[in-house]
Each structure stands twice: as C-alpha cells, then as structure tokens.
Amino acid sequence: MVDFMEVIRRTENGPFISERGFDIEVVFKTARMLVKKYGVKFNRKELITLEPEMADGAFQAGLELAEIAGIYCINTSRQIKFTREELLFALRAAPRSLQIGWGKDQRVIQAAEWGIPRKPFIWAGFSGAPLTEEVYRASIRSYIKEPLVDALGHGSLFRIDGIDVRTDSPMEVRAARRELIYLREALGREGRPGMPFIGCESSTTGLGDMAVMNPELLPPGAFHFIPTLNELKINYRNLARVMAGMEYGVYNINLVDAIIGGYGGGAEGAAIVTIASFILGLLTCRASISLCHPTHNKWVSTSPPESVWAENIVGQAFARNSPLIIIGDVWTSSGTGTKDILQEIAAISITKSLTGNNPHGVGATNGKFPHGSGLDGRWMAETALAAYENNLSLARGNEIVCALVERYEKKLADPDLGKPYDQVYDVDSALPLPWWQETYDENKREFAQDFDLKM
C-alpha cells in the first residue's frame, strides 16, 4: 500500500496541469472515450442491469480512468497519480468487513460479493439536512428508536445561538461539538449508547472534525466523511481530515457525488467517475467505506432513473470484480408525510439491496428542508430487507423498480415537499402522529400487494 506520506509528496511533485485542463482534457475526454471503449450504456428499461458484462466493463473503465487521471490536488494544481499495480494493491487491501459500534449495539458491515446473498446494512438518519438545534435534537431520536436501523448519520447544524455556521469560521467548531453532544445524548436517552454513527456533518472544512476528536465526542472507531470533490479532485483541507483521522483512529468514509451531466458526462460517465473515485479514495482518503451519490444535475436527488441506474452499475461492478464496503445515499425530491417519498425510497433501496450498496438516508427534499422523520428510515429498511428476504432476482427487482420510477418520475419537477418533523411526529415521545402512521401502514399494505412481496 502506498504510504500516505508518499501521497502527500505527490501533491507537490505530480504532473502540473490547470484545473480547467484537468476538467476538459483529462476527465471529460477520457470518460467519454472509456464509455465507448467498454460499451457502457444507460438503459431506461433496465435500471437494474441484467447484463453482467456491462458492470464488468464499467469496472475496467473506472480502473483505467483512475490510472490515467489520478486525483487532482486543487492547492498545488498537480495530479496525484498511481500506477495500475498500486491501484490494484489498494483494492486487494481494502477491508471486506468491519465490526463497528460498541457493546450490545455493535454491528458488522460487509462488502457485497457477487452470488452471495447478504442482508443489507441500514444506515439511517436525516442525512445531508441543515437543521436547527431544536429540530436536530428532536428528530434524531425518531431514527434511533427504529430497531431495523443499524447505524446513524443525521445531518448538520446550520445555526448555533442565532449565528449562522459559516465555512472556516469559529462557528464551524462550535457546531461540530454541539452536533456530537446532542447525538450522544440522544443515543444514551434511547438506550443505544454504542450505536455506530457518522459525526462532524456540520464541519465543511475539517476544522470541526479536529475539534471533536475526543473520546467523549467522536471516539476512535466512529466515522467521518472525507469528500472527493467533483470530479476526481481533492484539497488540503480534506487531506488534513485524512491525516487527523488516521492518527486519531476514526474510520474515513469517502463521499463521492459524481454529477450526472457534469464533466464525466451522462449516467454512464458518472458511474465510471464514481468507480475511479472509489479506487483512488482507498489511497488518498484512506477510505474504509465508500459512499455512492450520483447527483442528477437537474433534480439533485438519487431517485431519477439515471441516478438509480448509475448506483446499480457501481454496486455490481465492485461486487463482481473487487468487493468494497459501499453505502449509497437515499436522497428523495419529495418530503416526509407523503406517499411520494415512500415510492422514491422503495425504488432506490431495492436497487441498492440487490446490487451491493447498503442504503444510507433518507435525505428528504434533497436536503433542502427539515422535512424528514424516522418512518422514512424505517421504510428504507423494510424495502431493502424485503428485496433480500423475498430473494428477488435481478429481473424481478428491475420490474419493481421501473414500475416505481414510473409512478413518481413526472413529479420530480414539482415535488411534494411534505411537512416539517414536528407536523408528522410527536416531539415529546418521538413517535409518529396517527395520520402519518396510518398513511405509512396503508402504503405498506398496497406495496406488498402490488408487487406480491412478504413484508
């Protein structure tokens, strides 16, 4: 494995290129060439691809892109490049299983291996959402209460004591510390003190990450994000997060949100860029887990058909060729309290369960509004587990997912944003209000009947 200090050296002595040159001459042109070379093609009728050679080709394309492009260091305008042998060694050395959390709440998360059915790991919370202190403290309990949820990831604080949390400001430190205080307080209150969790979502630069590396806040063995920037880029801020995480002992999650319609191209290029980012992230981000979030350039969420297809290709590519531990964002356009959000969640979660991604979410309303709740996480778990427990084939899973996408796709332009947390849950008890629970139960019965599933 390439030593991390050698990675830092390569930020100083790698090939020099302008950022614009990297975007166009390296990423855009190479991704477009590789899509054609390996025959990777989006199929609206197969959102879960039934062509294994498609996933294999995408993997080879991603590996080739990683070798050609490397990852661009914004601070030095240099490519951090690796040989194919170094990339392949990193893939072989990547963890296939992690035992995470503590005590009775400890869980095991594993990489998907093709042909071996594996129960999906459920990572829930109001991911990506900017929350007030009051909403954060109230809503986090609703996810912790859900017994099907294995681990927690719950959004960020955007205002503390009436002051907005700005990038690089002292408030970033305060927000990250408050976030962890509230999170661990809620875990203790709900009787799951050892539940695995992602911390420091309020930290945009890494200041907050380093401010909470304390056993009382973010203990060794917990998780934080290391973003790979769009597309195939990183900066010193995030490399500093890697260094701090390595020396302190927290797990790094490589957060990749390749843009469908960005420099990688369409859904095909975004899938290849994501694969390359995951491979490079093993070295530059020292990732133990990789997070897949193919962002639609128009709708943002991961529920459009192009995003669903891209996640399916990425999951199958690694499961078939070099297993990694992958979690995938369940980001919906609609908000909690609606039937639409349940349709979007089901399509994304079933796809993930069948193709090697463990669901992570729900990021309702694309993370714009505090319109999420624990029932969203429950439905994510129940639909992902239904795919596993009903032993769905890829073909049957594809039929269900395509049918679900048909139901909500036309609404993505003007989604139903639902309601705030305190209008769907009782704040004191952290339990759903009767009307929302009834809507949920009715939807579950209809879903099981429509698709002949045992739930």
Side-chain angles (χ1 to χ4, degrees):
M1 191 76 160
V2 175
D3 183 76
F4 187 64
M5 291 305 298
E6 175 59 24
V7 174
I8 300 302
R9 290 187 188 98
R10 293 182 193 185
T11 68
E12 300 288 347
N13 58 28
F16 180 88
I17 186 171
S18 70
E19 188 169 357
R20 179 68 173 171
F22 182 78
D23 291 336
I24 302 300
E25 299 300 323
V26 179
V27 176
F28 175 72
K29 291 185 177 180
T30 306
R32 185 172 59 174
M33 177 270 291
L34 293 171
V35 165
K36 294 179 180 177
K37 176 179 177 179
Y38 289 97
V40 183
K41 188 169 180 59
F42 169 67
N43 185 344
R44 179 61 179 76
K45 295 182 179 179
E46 284 188 18
L47 299 182
I48 297 178
T49 185
L50 307 180
E51 302 176 56
E53 61 273 14
M54 180 87 73
D56 295 341
F59 180 82
Q60 293 303 322
L63 178 60
E64 192 166 332
L65 178 59
E67 182 183 6
I68 292 170
I71 191 164
Y72 184 76
C73 180
I74 293 172
N75 298 82
T76 61
S77 300
R78 294 185 182 273
Q79 291 169 266
I80 309 170
K81 299 196 72 173
F82 303 96
T83 66
R84 178 163 290 232
E85 290 72 24
E86 289 171 336
L87 296 171
L88 291 173
F89 189 93
L91 284 165
R92 290 195 298 271
R96 302 288 188 264
S97 176
L98 292 175
Q99 194 170 46
I100 58 178
W102 304 270
K104 66 180 179 60
D105 304 303
Q106 192 170 73
R107 298 289 187 272
V108 175
I109 185 169
Q110 296 176 285
E113 297 181 64
W114 199 249
I116 301 176
R118 189 155 284 156
K119 183 178 179 181
F121 187 97
I122 309 301
W123 210 308
F126 201 175
S127 62
L131 305 172
T132 65
E133 293 179 81
E134 294 76 18
V135 174
Y136 187 99
R137 297 181 77 179
S139 61
I140 195 170
R141 295 173 55 211
S142 70
Y143 296 88
I144 300 169
K145 281 180 175 290
E146 294 296 335
L148 296 178
V149 171
D150 297 301
L152 188 67
H154 196 64
S156 60
L157 298 170
F158 76 93
R159 184 177 296 121
I160 300 290
D161 300 329
I163 302 175
D164 288 347
V165 179
R166 299 188 185 279
T167 298
D168 270 331
S169 79
M171 295 308 296
E172 187 177 327
V173 172
R174 194 172 183 90
R177 291 180 63 84
R178 287 278 184 91
E179 171 197 329
L180 270 297
I181 290 169
Y182 297 151
L183 186 152
R184 300 201 71 179
E185 173 188 78
L187 289 173
R189 178 174 179 176
E190 301 303 330
R192 301 184 72 177
M195 188 180 190
F197 63 85
I198 301 169
C200 305
E201 293 193 51
S202 304
S203 179
T204 57
T205 69
L207 280 174
D209 294 62
M210 286 174 264
V212 299
M213 287 185 181
N214 177 302
E216 299 300 316
L217 297 172
L218 187 75
F223 293 82
H224 69 154
F225 287 127
I226 311 290
T228 291
L229 307 175
N230 300 321
E231 304 285 2
L232 298 175
K233 297 175 187 175
I234 201 160
N235 58 21
Y236 276 167
R237 287 174 173 176
N238 287 316
L239 289 171
R241 282 178 169 173
V242 178
M243 183 75 79
M246 287 174 58
E247 296 195 359
Y248 176 68
V250 291
Y251 291 113
N252 299 334
I253 300 176
N254 179 18
L255 169 58
V256 177
D257 59 351
I259 299 173
I260 296 171
Y263 288 118
E268 304 92 341
I272 290 170
V273 166
T274 300
I275 292 167
S277 298
F278 281 4
I279 296 170
L280 291 162
L282 298 171
L283 291 156
T284 57
C285 299
R286 259 23 195 196
S288 296
I289 294 178
S290 303
L291 188 147
C292 187
H293 186 133
T295 302
H296 195 283
N297 68 334
K298 189 173 185 180
W299 310 127
V300 183
S301 61
T302 62
S303 54
E306 296 85 355
S307 298
V308 173
W309 180 88
E311 287 218 42
N312 133 78
I313 285 290
V314 171
Q316 290 200 49
F318 282 101
R320 290 179 55 82
N321 293 275
S322 187
L324 292 184
I325 302 174
I326 300 174
I327 59 178
D329 267 341
V330 179
W331 270 45
T332 65
S333 292
S334 51
T336 197
T338 69
K339 281 197 172 184
D340 289 346
I341 194 175
L342 301 177
Q343 305 287 354
E344 291 184 65
I345 289 169
I348 307 169
S349 300
I350 290 171
T351 300
K352 294 181 191 305
S353 183
L354 293 177
T355 60
N357 286 293
N358 298 287
H360 171 261
V362 172
T365 71
N366 297 320
K368 293 179 182 177
F369 302 103
H371 295 188
S373 71
L375 273 190
D376 310 342
R378 184 191 302 180
W379 188 237
M380 181 178 74
E382 291 201 304
T383 51
L385 291 167
Y388 166 76
E389 292 167 353
N390 284 269
N391 196 28
L392 291 185
S393 66
L394 291 183
R396 180 56 183 148
N398 179 63
E399 291 173 0
I400 294 171
V401 170
C402 287
L404 288 165
V405 171
E406 286 283 348
R407 293 180 181 181
Y408 65 73
E409 185 178 3
K410 292 180 181 178
K411 301 178 182 179
L412 294 175
D414 186 24
D416 186 343
L417 298 176
K419 299 178 182 298
Y421 173 78
D422 62 0
Q423 293 182 27
V424 295
Y425 262 65
D426 178 272
V427 173
D428 292 331
S429 66
L431 294 172
L433 294 175
W435 73 267
W436 180 213
Q437 183 67 64
E438 290 166 9
T439 301
Y440 181 97
D441 293 339
E442 178 186 359
N443 177 81
K444 181 177 176 178
R445 287 191 296 270
E446 291 174 355
F447 180 83
Q449 183 176 356
D450 288 350
F451 299 114
D452 193 25
L453 297 173
K454 294 179 181 178
M455 298 185 71

